[in-house]
Amino acid sequence: MREQVENVINQIRPLLQADGGDIELVDVEDGVVKVRLRGACAGCPGAQMTLKMAVERKLKEEIPEVKRVEPVTG
């Protein structure tokens, strides 16, 4: 499942990079995808919305086993 998640994240990455940000897959466990936002995305007030509306939605569309996406800080 991790490889599937990485493939979807790689599809989303150019959208984030266009705004000066990036995303890193940290872990996948029991359907929970943990990611770290980087660059401009890390401090962006809209980061949570980006996670839910873009990243989580796309992952759930492509991989039904995904339950949710959680941000990891640090």
Side-chain angles (χ1 to χ4, degrees), residues 1-25:
M1 183 173 176
R2 184 180 176 97
E3 187 175 320
Q4 290 176 291
V5 170
E6 284 185 16
N7 288 337
V8 174
I9 285 177
N10 285 335
Q11 294 171 24
I12 298 166
R13 181 170 279 121
L15 299 172
L16 299 175
Q17 289 174 336
D19 287 331
D22 204 352
I23 187 168
E24 171 192 352
L25 177 60

Side-chain angles (χ1 to χ4, degrees), residues 9-66:
I9 285 177
N10 285 335
Q11 294 171 24
I12 298 166
R13 181 170 279 121
L15 299 172
L16 299 175
Q17 289 174 336
D19 287 331
D22 204 352
I23 187 168
E24 171 192 352
L25 177 60
V26 176
D27 196 16
V28 178
E29 187 176 319
D30 297 326
V32 178
V33 177
K34 296 184 181 181
V35 297
R36 181 175 292 120
L37 294 175
R38 298 195 171 276
C41 290
C44 176
Q48 191 64 34
M49 185 66 72
T50 299
L51 275 181
K52 292 291 177 195
M53 299 305 290
V55 178
E56 185 174 272
R57 190 184 69 179
K58 181 71 172 168
L59 282 167
K60 285 181 172 180
E61 282 177 12
E62 301 283 330
I63 311 163
E65 297 84 14
V66 170

